[in-house]
């Protein structure tokens, strides 16, 4: 593996404090420390703390006055091993935190013992923070240089706005490109994953340039394959880029490499296709300038035997030879490479470079596509889920970033369901939103088909591969624009104005996909974990180990003892509230935060009240009866269809009451149950060893109707927390005022452990309960878990209210029939950051003795 030795020394870098030097001990000089502030203007708290810590013989200090500062940046990097380290450690990511006291900004090093505050997104940009202890870390290899270290903090509220006009006290902190405070690493990483290019080292200025080929010797790939082992110098290659992979970061603490990146290009000429590997510092220089379809002239490269276990993507043309015995290596220094982008107008037909052949499919064709088939899709986005993270196998500190999206193309009532991982295109991944009234269309290439037809419901979705690329603008300049299916889709778009798909687009929220199989036996064989079941006593640790936006699925055993229906609030359901969001006058973020805290307090108080056995609610409501033949349009799982709403089982007495009521009032009065509590719970709840409360559903977990005028706010709400503070435009709205995309509320479910010592409150968030003849109908509660959510079309207010109450009652009555039944509950644990954790009941199994 090629590499480069890092030039900077380990330890604090030269962007720290520069103490003390009388010649430079003044403002405006790089690294200068202002020992005594002048009498003009407000005194800097940062400056006072610096004076205290430099005068302290202990090199640490508890500030005599703790003043809140604002957090402007939280930036991550890999700290290489110090010279005294003899045993290599796993990757250790460090964080630099930029703070402002209103007079100066200062970049500080966060003590690694406080990293957990970043992992949980408690320490984040835009908040108020009190620093309770600081220290100074010196670079012993440089004269008088050190950095300010944060050793103890208290993270406070989110600030409405923060000024970015305050200058850096140390002018070295604003130099370009930005450098980390510690170690020899030359750059920062993206805050939440390693695949996205981040910072100012990533260039975009490489342009095509005409080349005189008169004195350039070209060799074909097939000829190079036959002769490379006998050559010392290699002639130039003239190739077209067919595929471009996402970035791979391979930095380790014990490897002193400046920019340890790698990316693969699949290139081809008329004789074959081969992999080109771009290493290290070439990636920041070239990665963002290279795109699929460009023609490259490669000189001064090296050739190596190919890695035997890497799977190359299929060639775009089956007639082109796939060369898998060698790899082309591009490295900045070994040898120094010469890469030229040839303008398309200079490309000659006699070069016979391959054209790009895409594999676009329509949604109507997807049902017939085999498993692992590679395809491209185009459509409009009708749902964009929130960004989530999943842990990589090899390290507890490394994560993938992904989100679920739905793409409609007009050929089917069902959308493409796509698991979209980060493709090293953060400028797109972080800004995608449902298609607006301008009907912006979305293209994603090199997707893989995931399917399982033996399960109920059938599993069918697409997922990105290492070579997937995403496009939302600039389609006119892309090579796929002439594809027949792309032209057909564009023609379909032009014939429509504001389609029903666009009117009902949805963004964000909890998204329980993919669904689990229909029985426990299939679930057991489908998952790859060391332990199939998690003891309910271990759930707390599973929750505590979860990091920001991480979502994990576990299985526990227990007994359902309480279930309570929680309808949506009027603010969420009100269409007029959504309409109000189109205006500029909106409540501030801090007001929204206060309302959210008050709402949670009310919710907790209600939960305590509900523990009273006398609070079991069962009352009459005069809602319109839903006849068995009445159909409701719902979108569930991968299927959108018209299905009957299931009816509850009613006693003869209840039927008689309903009949009498119908004859007198013209409307059926039915018993609506909104809470059920088992006798077992009444006996055991006061003697529990532990009771975990995770049934609260936060506003960001409710999918929202997308409003184009508020797209920036909505995009920010469902993206990951940014590394740098961006001031809001005006007064941001309140997320709770956006209309929910769900017609039904949620349920709070209490599961008691089999040993009757520990219980957990979880949330159940159904979309609607479809009736499907393919499934074994145990009861309504199990039925409505057979499908994962694709959000429903708009219903009338009366229809929604009646259906919601009726279905809620059906689900609660179904749960009551599980009294004292041992179940296996599949739980989704979600960490939303800032101490907000949710646990959702995704599926219930009633295991048999054979299971």
């Amino acid at each position: 593996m090629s590499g480069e030795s890092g030039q900077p020394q380990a330890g604090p870098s030269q962007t720290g404090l520069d103490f003390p030097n009388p010649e430079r001990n003044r403002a405006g000089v790089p690294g200068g420390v202002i020992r005594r502030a002048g009498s003009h203007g407000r005194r800097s708290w940062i400056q006072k703390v610096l004076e205290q810590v430099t005068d302290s013989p202990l090199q640490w200090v508890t500030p005599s006055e703790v003043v809140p500062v604002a957090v402007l940046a939280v930036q991550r990097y890999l700290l290489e091993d110090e010279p005294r380290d003899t045993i290599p450690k796993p990757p250790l990511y460090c964080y630099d935190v930029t703070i402002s006291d209103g007079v100066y900004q200062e970049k500080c090093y966060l003590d690694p013992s406080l990293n957990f505050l970043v992992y949980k997104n408690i320490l984040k940009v835009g908040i108020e923070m009190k620093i309770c202890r600081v220290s100074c870390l010196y670079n012993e290899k440089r004269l008088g240089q050190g950095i300010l270290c944060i050793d103890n903090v208290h993270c406070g509220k989110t600030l409405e706005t923060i000024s970015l006009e305050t200058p850096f006290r140390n002018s070295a902190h604003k130099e370009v490109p930005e450098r980390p405070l510690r170690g020899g690493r030359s750059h920062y990483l993206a805050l939440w994953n390693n695949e996205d290019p981040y910072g100012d080292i990533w260039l975009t200025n490489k342009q095509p340039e005409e080349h005189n080929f008169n004195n350039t010797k070209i060799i074909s790939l097939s000829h190079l394959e036959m002769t490379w082992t006998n050559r010392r110098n290699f002639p130039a290659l003239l190739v077209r880029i067919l595929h471009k992979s996402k970035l791979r970061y391979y930095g380790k603490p014990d490897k002193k490499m400046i920019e340890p990146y790698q990316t693969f290009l699949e290139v081809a000429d008329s004789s074959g296709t081969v992999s080109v590997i771009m290493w290290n510092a070439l990636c920041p220089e070239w990665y963002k300038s290279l795109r699929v379809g460009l023609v490259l002239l490669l000189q001064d490269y090296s050739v190596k035997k190919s890695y035997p276990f890497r799977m190359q993507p299929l060639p775009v043309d089956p007639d082109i030879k796939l060369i898998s015995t060698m790899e082309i290596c591009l490295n900045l220094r070994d040898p120094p490479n010469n890469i030229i982008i040839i303008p398309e107008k200079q490309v000659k037909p006699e070069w016979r470079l391959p054209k790009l052949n895409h594999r676009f499919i329509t949604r109507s064709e997807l049902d017939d596509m085999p498993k692992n088939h590679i395809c491209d899709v185009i459509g409009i986005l009708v749902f964009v889920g929130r960004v989530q993270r999943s842990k990589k196998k090899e390290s507890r500190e490394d994560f993938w970033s992904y989100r679920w999206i739905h793409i409609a193309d007009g050929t089917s009532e069902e959308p493409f369901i796509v698991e979209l991982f980060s493709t090293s295109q953060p400028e797109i991944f972080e800004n995608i939103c449902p298609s607006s009234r301008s009907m912006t269309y979305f293209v994603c290439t090199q997707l893989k088909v995931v399917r399982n037809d033996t399960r109920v419901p059938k599993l069918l979705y697409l997922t990105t591969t290492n070579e997937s690329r995403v496009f939302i603008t600039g389609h006119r300049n892309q090579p796929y624009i002439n594809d027949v299916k792309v032209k057909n889709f564009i023609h379909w778009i032009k014939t429509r104005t504001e389609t029903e798909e666009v009117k009902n687009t949805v963004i964000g929220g909890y998204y329980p996909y993919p669904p689990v199989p229909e029985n426990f036996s299939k679930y057991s064989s489908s998952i790859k974990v060391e332990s199939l079941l998690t003891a309910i006593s271990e759930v707390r640790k599973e929750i505590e180990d979860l990091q920001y936006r991480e979502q994990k699925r576990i299985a526990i055993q227990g007994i359902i003892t309480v279930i309570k229906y929680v309808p949506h609030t009027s603010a969420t359901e009100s269409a007029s509230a959504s309409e109000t969001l189109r205006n500029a006058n909106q409540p501030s973020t801090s007001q929204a935060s206060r309302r959210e805290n008050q709402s949670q307090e009310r919710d907790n108080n209600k939960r305590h009240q509900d523990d009273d056995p006398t609070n079991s609610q069962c009352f009459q409501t005069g809602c319109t009866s839903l006849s068995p033949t009445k159909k409701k349009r719902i979108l569930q799982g991968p299927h959108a269809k018209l299905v009957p709403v299931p009816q509850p089982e009613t006693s003869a007495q209840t039927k008689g009451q309903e009949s009498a009521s119908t004859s007198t009032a013209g409307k059926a009065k039915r018993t609506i149950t909104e809470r059920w509590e088992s006798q077992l719970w009444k006996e055991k709840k006061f003697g529990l060893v532990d009771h975990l409360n995770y049934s609260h559903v936060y506003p960001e977990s409710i999918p929202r109707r997308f409003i184009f005028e508020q797209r920036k706010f909505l995009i920010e709400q469902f993206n990951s927390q940014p590394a740098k503070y961006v001031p809001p435009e005006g007064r941001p709205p309140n997320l709770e005022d956006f209309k929910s995309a769900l017609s039904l509320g949620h349920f709070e479910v209490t599961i008691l452990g089999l040993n009757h010592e520990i219980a957990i409150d979880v949330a159940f968030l159904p979309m609607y309960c479809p009736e499907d003849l393919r499934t074994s109908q145990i009861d309504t509660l199990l039925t409505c878990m057979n499908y994962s959510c694709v959000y429903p079309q708009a219903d009338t207010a009366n229809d929604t209210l009646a259906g919601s109450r009726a279905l809620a009652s059906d689900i609660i009555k179904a749960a009551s029939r599980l009294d004292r039944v041992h179940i296996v509950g599949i739980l989704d644990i979600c960490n939303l950051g800032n101490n907000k954790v949710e646990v959702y009941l995704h599926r219930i199994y009633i295991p048999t003795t054979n299971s």
Side-chain angles (χ1 to χ4, degrees):
M1 182 176 291
S2 301
E4 302 170 48
S5 297
Q7 298 301 319
Q9 301 293 333
S13 73
Q14 55 188 335
T15 61
L17 314 177
D18 200 2
F19 335 84
N21 187 334
E23 296 287 332
R24 305 173 66 191
N25 191 20
R26 63 188 188 272
V29 178
V33 177
I34 308 170
R35 284 288 186 179
R36 296 288 179 263
S39 59
H40 301 290
R42 184 158 62 95
R43 180 72 191 271
S44 167
W45 179 84
I46 291 173
Q47 184 60 48
K48 287 192 290 185
V49 170
L50 288 172
E51 292 172 4
Q52 292 176 32
V53 75
T54 54
D55 291 339
S56 171
L58 300 175
Q59 295 186 351
W60 63 265
V61 67
T62 299
S64 57
E65 180 188 8
V66 178
V67 174
V69 295
V71 179
L72 297 179
V74 179
Q75 295 171 288
R76 182 177 69 108
Y77 57 100
L78 184 69
L79 180 63
E80 66 187 33
D81 285 342
E82 301 289 349
R84 62 181 177 273
D85 294 333
T86 56
I87 302 175
K89 296 176 294 189
L92 173 63
Y93 296 109
C94 295
Y95 297 90
D96 290 343
V97 180
T98 302
I99 61 175
S100 171
D101 63 3
V103 179
Y104 287 123
Q105 294 183 35
E106 184 77 16
K107 185 181 289 188
C108 308
Y109 173 71
L110 185 70
D111 187 272
S113 65
L114 301 179
N115 281 6
F116 74 96
L117 295 174
V118 181
Y119 297 159
K120 306 289 187 180
N121 199 39
I122 298 170
L123 199 170
K124 57 185 178 180
V125 299
I127 67 166
E128 180 181 84
M129 182 173 72
K130 292 182 179 180
I131 303 175
C132 307
R133 171 174 160 151
V134 297
S135 59
C136 180
L137 182 65
Y138 289 93
N139 186 346
E140 296 178 350
K141 291 191 175 184
R142 289 192 170 90
L143 185 62
Q145 290 183 0
I147 56 178
L148 191 65
C149 303
I150 300 175
D151 298 332
N152 195 2
V153 298
H154 172 74
C155 297
K157 64 181 180 181
T158 299
L159 299 171
E160 289 189 16
T161 184
I162 306 172
S163 173
L164 298 179
E165 300 301 318
T166 53
F168 277 101
R169 183 207 58 82
N170 184 342
S171 58
H173 289 171
K174 63 180 180 181
E175 290 179 354
V176 176
E178 281 190 293
R179 300 302 185 199
L181 289 177
R182 294 197 61 194
R185 303 297 170 182
S186 66
H187 69 293
Y188 289 109
L189 300 168
L191 186 55
W192 302 113
N193 66 52
N194 288 340
E195 285 68 48
D196 288 344
Y198 170 83
D200 45 23
I201 67 167
W202 297 88
L203 307 179
T204 58
N205 59 353
K206 302 295 184 181
Q207 300 296 328
E209 56 182 90
E210 293 196 7
H211 180 75
N212 186 350
F213 287 90
N214 292 337
N215 299 318
T216 303
K217 184 178 181 181
I218 306 292
I219 187 173
S220 70
L221 290 175
S222 60
H223 191 198
L224 181 65
E225 181 190 25
M226 292 184 291
T227 61
W228 73 272
T229 54
N230 300 321
R231 289 178 177 269
R232 299 186 61 183
N233 297 311
F234 304 109
L237 294 173
L238 186 63
V239 293
R240 188 185 297 277
I241 301 176
L242 303 183
H243 299 294
K244 172 185 170 183
S245 76
K246 61 184 174 185
L247 287 167
R248 173 177 174 259
Y249 179 78
Y250 64 93
K252 303 292 180 184
D254 58 334
K255 294 182 181 294
K256 299 180 185 294
M257 296 183 185
I258 296 179
E259 278 123 10
Y261 286 97
Q262 177 195 71
T263 190
F264 285 84
L265 303 173
E266 302 301 321
V267 302
D269 61 10
S270 60
S271 67
T273 179
V274 73
S275 295
V276 172
I277 309 176
M278 186 174 287
W279 292 95
N280 304 328
L282 272 185
C283 290
E285 182 182 352
W286 280 94
Y287 184 81
K288 298 187 79 170
S289 297
L290 298 179
R291 58 178 176 83
V292 172
L294 289 180
V295 175
L296 302 181
L297 181 68
L298 305 179
Q299 302 177 85
D300 302 320
Y301 53 88
S302 61
V303 183
K304 294 183 179 181
K305 186 177 180 180
S306 62
Y307 184 66
F309 299 107
R310 179 179 177 266
M311 290 290 294
Q312 290 178 262
L314 295 174
V316 296
D317 188 339
D319 296 329
I320 297 180
K321 179 183 179 182
L322 186 65
I323 299 173
S324 57
T325 57
M326 67 175 187
E327 295 173 342
I328 309 299
C329 295
L330 303 179
N331 204 313
L332 189 62
R333 299 177 181 174
D334 186 24
N337 290 121
N338 187 356
I339 304 172
I340 299 175
I341 302 175
I342 304 299
E344 193 65 33
K345 64 181 180 181
Q346 197 182 359
V347 176
K348 298 180 181 179
E350 53 265 30
W351 294 350
R352 295 187 295 118
L353 294 177
K355 300 291 183 183
L356 291 180
N357 294 324
H358 287 86
R359 302 183 180 91
F360 280 96
I361 66 167
T362 64
R363 180 57 185 87
S364 61
E365 295 172 331
L366 178 61
D367 291 334
D368 300 323
M369 294 296 162
K371 180 180 179 180
N372 295 329
H373 178 77
I374 301 298
C375 61
D376 309 324
V377 301
I378 183 171
I380 56 174
L381 289 168
V382 293
F383 166 70
V384 174
R386 66 185 176 198
V387 175
Q388 300 175 185
R389 300 166 71 220
S390 61
K391 195 170 291 183
K392 295 182 180 179
K393 294 179 181 179
E394 66 270 17
S395 171
R396 65 175 298 272
E397 293 188 62
D398 289 335
F399 289 80
W400 302 111
S401 293
Y402 69 100
R403 67 199 316 168
W404 291 93
I405 61 174
H406 294 173
I407 306 171
D409 69 354
T411 66
S412 170
E413 290 185 4
E414 304 160 14
F416 292 106
I417 300 178
V418 180
E419 184 183 29
L420 182 67
F421 284 88
S422 172
T423 57
S424 299
Q425 298 171 279
E427 66 283 356
I428 296 179
F429 185 80
E430 296 173 1
N431 287 288
I432 61 174
C433 62
S435 297
S436 64
R437 59 192 60 173
S438 59
M439 301 294 284
T440 305
Y441 49 93
F442 180 89
V443 172
C444 193
T445 63
Q446 292 295 112
L447 294 169
K448 182 174 69 174
V449 176
V450 178
R451 71 180 308 146
N452 187 337
D453 294 338
T454 64
R455 287 171 44 168
V456 178
K458 290 183 179 179
L459 191 65
L460 179 61
Y461 66 93
L462 302 173
T463 187
T464 48
T465 62
N466 199 44
E467 292 77 27
S468 292
R469 309 305 293 167
V470 177
F471 306 91
I472 55 175
T473 59
H475 301 288
R476 190 169 299 176
N477 299 321
Q478 296 298 333
Y480 55 73
I481 198 66
N482 294 317
D483 186 275
V484 173
K485 290 178 181 176
V486 172
K487 288 183 175 180
N488 290 341
F489 170 77
I490 294 174
H491 176 72
W492 174 74
I493 284 291
K494 289 180 177 178
T495 61
R496 306 174 76 86
T497 53
E498 190 174 349
T499 65
E500 190 68 23
E501 293 92 339
V502 172
K503 288 181 181 178
N504 294 295
T505 53
V506 176
I507 188 168
Y510 162 66
Y511 186 80
Y513 205 85
V516 294
E518 72 275 16
N519 60 56
F520 187 65
S521 176
K522 288 186 178 180
Y523 172 80
S524 304
S525 60
S526 68
I527 62 171
K528 299 176 182 178
V529 292
E530 293 181 3
S531 178
L532 176 63
L533 293 169
T534 300
I536 198 167
S537 60
E538 299 172 350
V539 173
R540 184 183 292 277
K541 186 178 185 306
E542 292 282 354
I543 291 172
E544 291 174 350
D545 288 345
L546 230 57
Q547 295 194 24
Y548 173 58
R549 285 290 177 88
E550 185 181 359
Q551 185 164 310
K552 186 175 183 180
R553 187 167 284 175
I554 63 172
I556 66 169
Q557 295 187 83
I559 304 166
I560 292 180
T561 55
V562 180
I563 183 167
K564 171 191 169 186
Y565 175 56
V566 182
H568 286 315
T569 62
S570 57
T572 305
E573 286 299 314
S574 172
S576 61
S578 294
E579 200 64 34
T580 306
L581 290 165
R582 305 181 190 277
N583 302 326
N585 267 338
Q586 297 300 333
S588 66
T589 303
S590 60
Q591 290 172 326
S593 178
R594 286 195 294 271
R595 267 202 297 269
E596 182 180 319
N597 293 336
Q598 292 166 359
S599 174
Q600 187 174 357
E601 290 174 6
R602 287 195 302 269
D603 183 74
N604 292 336
N605 291 336
K606 286 180 68 179
R607 185 180 289 117
H608 292 306
Q609 293 172 4
D610 289 334
D611 285 340
D612 187 343
T614 61
N615 266 352
S616 183
Q617 298 169 357
C618 182
F619 60 90
Q620 299 287 330
T621 181
C623 63
T624 305
S625 178
L626 297 176
S627 68
T629 58
K630 184 171 182 179
K631 308 287 185 176
K632 176 179 289 293
R633 175 171 293 278
I634 62 170
L635 288 164
Q636 282 282 356
H639 301 293
K641 54 190 176 183
L642 293 174
V643 297
V645 176
Q647 295 301 299
E649 296 178 7
T650 54
S651 64
Q653 182 181 0
T654 304
K655 288 180 181 178
Q657 290 174 346
E658 290 179 352
S659 177
S661 175
T662 303
S663 63
T664 57
K667 288 185 177 180
K669 286 183 178 286
R670 54 174 294 180
T671 301
I672 299 295
T673 304
E674 292 207 335
R675 189 176 189 273
W676 168 79
E677 178 180 321
S678 72
Q679 183 61 38
L680 177 63
W681 179 248
K682 297 174 184 178
E683 298 169 358
K684 300 293 184 179
K685 64 181 177 180
F686 296 114
L688 296 176
V689 175
D690 196 6
H691 188 176
L692 308 177
N693 298 310
Y694 290 102
S695 60
H696 183 75
V697 176
Y698 290 93
E700 52 263 56
S701 290
I702 301 295
R704 307 286 173 176
R705 296 290 183 188
F706 182 69
I707 297 178
F708 178 75
E709 290 81 2
Q710 296 289 343
R711 63 191 180 281
K712 185 173 181 181
F713 171 79
L714 288 169
I715 288 172
E716 290 173 352
Q717 294 300 303
F718 299 111
N719 268 338
S720 300
Q721 185 73 30
K724 288 189 173 183
Y725 175 73
V726 179
E729 296 179 359
R731 298 171 68 87
N734 180 3
L735 185 59
E736 291 182 277
D737 289 336
F738 288 81
K739 188 179 180 184
S740 168
L742 305 182
S743 298
L744 203 58
H746 71 276
F747 295 83
E748 294 177 351
V749 181
T750 300
I751 300 176
L752 179 66
L754 297 183
N755 293 319
H756 300 178
E757 295 178 339
I758 301 174
I760 182 172
D761 295 337
V762 300
F764 173 50
L765 196 66
M767 303 306 125
Y768 259 115
C769 306
E771 190 174 65
D772 195 310
L773 297 178
R774 297 172 301 172
T775 62
S776 173
Q777 301 295 315
I778 301 172
D779 54 51
T780 308
L781 181 61
L782 301 187
T783 304
C784 66
M785 292 180 176
N786 282 345
Y787 294 84
S788 289
C789 59
V790 176
Y791 300 111
Q793 304 295 317
D795 302 305
T796 66
N798 291 336
D799 196 27
T800 299
L801 178 62
S804 298
R805 296 281 182 179
L807 284 169
S809 182
D810 294 345
I811 291 173
I812 290 172
K813 290 177 181 178
S816 68
R817 294 198 291 274
L818 294 175
D819 190 11
R820 295 183 183 267
V821 175
H822 287 196
I823 59 99
V824 173
I826 308 302
L827 306 182
D828 285 342
I829 312 174
C830 313
N831 186 320
L832 305 180
N834 200 23
N835 291 321
K836 294 189 290 188
V837 177
E838 298 171 332
V839 181
Y840 289 97
L841 181 59
H842 176 72
R843 185 71 159 88
I844 289 175
Y845 293 118
I846 302 178
T848 62
T849 54
N850 295 331
S851 298

